[in-house]
Amino acid sequence: MQGKAVSSSAPVGFLQTLSARTAGLGRWRALCLSFLLGLLAVGALPPLYAVPLLLPAFTGLTWLLDGAGRGWAAFLRAWAFALGFFLAGLYWVTIAFFVEADRFGVVGPFAVLGLSLGLGLFVALTLWIARRYFWGGPQRVAVLAIAWLVAELLRAWLLTGFPWNLIGSVWAFSATTLQPAALIGVWGLSLFTVFAASAPAAIGDRASPRQRFAPAVLAILFLMTSGLYAGIRIAGAPDTEDDLVPSVRLRLVQPDIPQESKWDQALRAEHVRQQLRMSRGPGYDTVTHIIWSETAVPFLLDRAEGLQQALSDLAPPGGAVITGAPRGEDADDGSIRFWNSLFAFDGNGRQVSAYDKAHLVPFGEYVPFRSILGATKLTAGRADFNAGPGVSLVETPGLPPYSALICYEIIFPGAVTPNASATRPQWLLNLTNDNWFGLSSGPYQHLAAARLRAVEEGLPVVRAANGGISASIDSYGRFLGKLPLGRSGVLDVGLARPLQHPTLFSKINHYTSMFLLGFFYLLVLLLRRIL
């Protein structure tokens, strides 16, 4: 570190001792501690939101990298941290494999381990490069934040992308704390969060007070500025009940059908009848649109005229019924091609809108390199789903135009509205079936991503989920209503208006991350020069 050792107060002296001992750990102890710190960081994610746990997690990671040198030890320590982070954060993926335990149960733990190791490579590679070429002095705190953001960007875009549990999502416990996302998106939240969480590492340096405390002071200034902006923005937001689209009342149907029986041949028809009964329950005459979840109709709906008529009969006057269902189309070779789709029917027996899911889940909805791997997808049926053309503007009678997003399509920042459309959607509709993951943290993490998209885009989000968490969210990330996880019921709720003007993030989109990386790189140069 730069500078000379100086006399320290007791807290600073303690951090200096802790820093030296952490950096001086032997190979295996360092790897074990890295793994445990990655586990600890997960406590800050939904649903726990224990954000202060990020301080020891990232401070400890910084010290471990200090002692790793510039070789492969740094790579392995970063990989161990990431392995703990992804294993604990994505444990719930295993539950999906036990829906058909006799076929896939034995694969589940290995699949999650492989996924965690793969995602961890992004973190390990970027942190190893950072340690090898850019480390040193208090500015290494900013270097760590940059490297972590680059890792998040890479795993969001490469190999179809999986931007789940971005560090910025730790602020989704409150609408107020999410407001900076309107400017800098979840990417900015991740960058500043990692910087602030690792800033105490510099206090443990044996250096001058100015060098030791500069990152912490900057982190406090960032947090204070963000808090001030968030407070002003949310204070100026209209009341949720005063900012609704007139003459629109939605009924979100959450039947909580167990995934184990959802595609059972003997029960599928009853599952549809259950949702029809729930839709027509008390208050039916007050709603204008009824929304069911992803694959709520477990039949090829485009080929089931009787079901189409039943849904059309259910549609309120002047409104529509929107549901998820698979779609089939005959191929030239005599086979049937399938899509995971959204359909809307009005009361006149017409299909008035449709959307095919574009961003499919690998191994869940299709098997990449099927001819080589010879694997089987998790969802019903042996054939792969086909991808739709992409996010598009959907129009349904009685509703403002919207972007339809099926399942995890909502988790991709900056990719939830159609780029080519001249008309901007007025809200986002997310149909999902999180019952694959039971009463775990997965559905809460999925909801947090949806809430972030609302603030980033300045657009309301309506979320219909088979087993929860169904919700209506306004453009500031505030809940108009929601149904708890694992509970059957309906939610009658209004549709919030979009912001009058698009957010800064929605305007500059992916350039946000480039700007933030450039800003923090300048910060590194500045700290290196003045400290």
Side-chain angles (χ1 to χ4, degrees), residues 100-176:
E100 294 186 65
D102 57 329
R103 296 178 62 195
F104 303 112
V106 69
V107 180
F110 297 101
V112 175
L113 176 61
L115 176 63
S116 300
L117 287 169
L119 294 174
L121 285 175
F122 294 114
V123 175
L125 180 62
T126 55
L127 265 62
W128 173 71
I129 292 173
R131 179 65 184 87
R132 184 173 181 85
Y133 298 105
F134 304 102
W135 211 251
Q139 67 269 14
R140 74 193 190 283
V141 172
V143 169
L144 176 63
I146 291 173
W148 188 274
L149 176 58
V150 171
E152 290 196 339
L153 290 167
L154 288 175
R155 69 180 174 93
W157 295 335
L158 294 180
L159 302 175
T160 78
F162 189 62
W164 198 283
N165 282 347
L166 304 176
I167 284 292
S169 66
V170 303
W171 301 107
F173 62 86
S174 163
T176 300

Side-chain angles (χ1 to χ4, degrees), residues 23-358:
L25 287 175
R27 179 191 304 174
W28 293 109
R29 288 186 177 182
L31 288 176
C32 289
L33 180 58
S34 295
F35 179 78
L36 291 174
L37 291 177
L39 292 177
L40 185 67
V42 173
L45 295 171
L48 297 180
Y49 291 115
V51 179
L53 293 180
L54 293 179
L55 291 169
F58 280 98
T59 295
L61 175 62
T62 305
W63 290 336
L64 286 166
L65 292 176
D66 286 342
R70 300 180 185 276
W72 286 105
F75 181 92
L76 292 175
R77 292 182 185 188
W79 201 8
F81 181 93
L83 178 60
F85 180 80
F86 289 117
L87 273 178
L90 299 174
Y91 76 91
W92 46 266
V93 173
T94 308
I95 300 172
F97 289 84
F98 284 91
V99 170
E100 294 186 65
D102 57 329
R103 296 178 62 195
F104 303 112
V106 69
V107 180
F110 297 101
V112 175
L113 176 61
L115 176 63
S116 300
L117 287 169
L119 294 174
L121 285 175
F122 294 114
V123 175
L125 180 62
T126 55
L127 265 62
W128 173 71
I129 292 173
R131 179 65 184 87
R132 184 173 181 85
Y133 298 105
F134 304 102
W135 211 251
Q139 67 269 14
R140 74 193 190 283
V141 172
V143 169
L144 176 63
I146 291 173
W148 188 274
L149 176 58
V150 171
E152 290 196 339
L153 290 167
L154 288 175
R155 69 180 174 93
W157 295 335
L158 294 180
L159 302 175
T160 78
F162 189 62
W164 198 283
N165 282 347
L166 304 176
I167 284 292
S169 66
V170 303
W171 301 107
F173 62 86
S174 163
T176 300
T177 52
L178 282 181
Q179 294 313 301
L183 295 177
I184 57 179
V186 69
W187 307 124
L189 292 179
S190 288
L191 185 66
F192 288 108
T193 299
V194 174
F195 178 81
S198 54
I203 300 177
D205 294 348
R206 296 188 177 276
S208 68
R210 184 176 67 175
Q211 291 174 309
R212 292 199 309 266
F213 290 101
V217 170
L218 284 173
I220 292 171
L221 288 175
F222 288 152
L223 292 172
M224 290 177 61
T225 302
S226 296
L228 179 62
Y229 170 78
I232 292 174
R233 191 170 192 267
I234 204 73
D239 292 338
T240 54
E241 295 301 320
D242 297 334
D243 198 35
L244 301 177
V245 177
S247 304
V248 172
R249 186 73 173 171
L250 308 176
R251 169 161 287 187
L252 310 182
V253 179
Q254 182 172 299
D256 195 27
I257 297 168
Q259 192 60 38
E260 293 82 358
S261 63
K262 181 175 175 61
W263 295 92
D264 189 314
Q265 294 279 359
L267 297 175
R268 289 188 298 168
E270 175 55 30
H271 292 159
V272 174
R273 286 193 289 266
Q274 174 189 345
Q275 293 173 91
L276 289 170
R277 291 192 297 268
M278 293 175 68
S279 300
R280 290 190 181 277
Y284 168 76
D285 57 342
T286 67
V287 300
T288 60
H289 296 79
I290 296 170
I291 303 178
W292 292 5
S293 61
E294 177 190 14
T295 60
V297 176
F299 298 92
L300 292 177
L301 185 52
D302 55 317
R303 300 178 175 219
E305 294 184 4
L307 275 177
Q308 293 181 33
Q309 188 59 52
L311 292 174
S312 181
D313 293 342
L314 177 64
V321 172
I322 301 173
T323 184
R327 181 175 74 84
E329 187 175 291
D330 293 325
D332 293 338
D333 61 1
S335 63
I336 301 177
R337 304 177 67 206
F338 299 98
W339 285 262
N340 186 355
S341 303
L342 171 151
F343 296 87
F345 295 91
D346 67 8
N348 297 318
R350 298 178 302 174
Q351 177 187 309
V352 291
S353 46
Y355 167 76
D356 294 327
K357 184 179 180 183

